[in-house]
Amino acid sequence: MKTFLIVSDSHGRRKAVEKVALLAAENDYLVHLGDGVGDFREIVRSFPEKTYLIKGNCDAGGGEDECVIEAEGLSILCCHGHRYGVKSGLSRLAARARELDCEIALYGHTHRAAVEEVDGVLCINPGSAGSYTDPSYCYLVIHNKKPTATIVSLL
């Protein structure tokens, strides 16, 4: 079993990230999907071997454009989502995930939490940790090749 703590779009709202940071030690993977990767500075310092930073459209530096994580026999595409037009639909994101032989695609950018299957790809958006109204993150568990995603409120 592998566990993921997934955050996106914190946009400098460090109080929400500080809440999430309390859970960092007990997770196998820590992922920030962009637009505020600098907010994960302390997490990166404490857990560099298990932290993945993805550059969003509002990040000046730091982070990868996208990456693939292998866990429990599944491949997971991590991206911000803006390059795949996720505000207009998830078909391009799902196509990119399939192109890379990924069963799961993690993305941000929309500020709306969502877990849905598109063209055979489980697409997961943790929502926005920096949202003024409903900040959230995603807790993803993969066990025996079965992913279970839970959106968790930061209020």
Side-chain angles (χ1 to χ4, degrees):
M1 178 173 83
K2 296 294 181 188
T3 59
F4 290 72
L5 184 91
I6 307 161
V7 174
S8 190
D9 297 279
S10 52
H11 291 285
R13 308 295 186 303
R14 293 185 190 247
K15 288 198 184 288
V17 174
E18 287 170 9
K19 288 181 185 179
V20 171
L22 298 173
L23 306 170
E26 61 192 57
N27 285 276
D28 298 302
Y29 298 90
L30 311 168
V31 181
H32 193 299
L33 296 171
D35 285 358
V37 294
D39 301 336
F40 247 42
R41 263 189 298 262
E42 292 304 315
I43 292 174
V44 171
R45 281 190 202 121
S46 299
F47 306 101
E49 71 287 349
K50 63 180 182 178
T51 303
Y52 295 82
L53 301 177
I54 305 302
K55 187 187 310 181
N57 59 299
C58 294
D59 290 315
E64 301 175 62
D65 288 333
E66 63 185 30
C67 73
V68 174
I69 299 172
E70 305 286 336
E72 290 288 302
L74 295 178
S75 297
I76 303 158
L77 168 64
C78 302
C79 67
H80 184 61
H82 62 296
R83 295 172 188 249
Y84 302 108
V86 295
K87 287 186 177 181
S88 300
L90 300 178
S91 59
R92 288 176 50 206
L93 174 65
R96 176 65 174 155
R98 285 192 322 276
E99 176 185 329
L100 297 172
D101 294 322
C102 293
E103 296 85 2
I104 301 170
L106 305 179
Y107 70 101
H109 191 56
T110 68
H111 294 206
R112 290 187 313 271
V115 178
E116 60 187 283
E117 190 168 318
V118 177
D119 298 329
V121 175
L122 181 61
C123 298
I124 302 170
N125 185 325
S128 171
S131 174
Y132 289 102
T133 57
D134 192 20
S136 61
Y137 70 94
C138 179
Y139 177 65
L140 173 65
V141 177
I142 301 177
H143 182 64
N144 291 332
K145 286 191 162 189
K146 182 183 179 213
T148 303
T150 304
I151 302 299
V152 182
S153 174
L154 281 166
L155 291 178

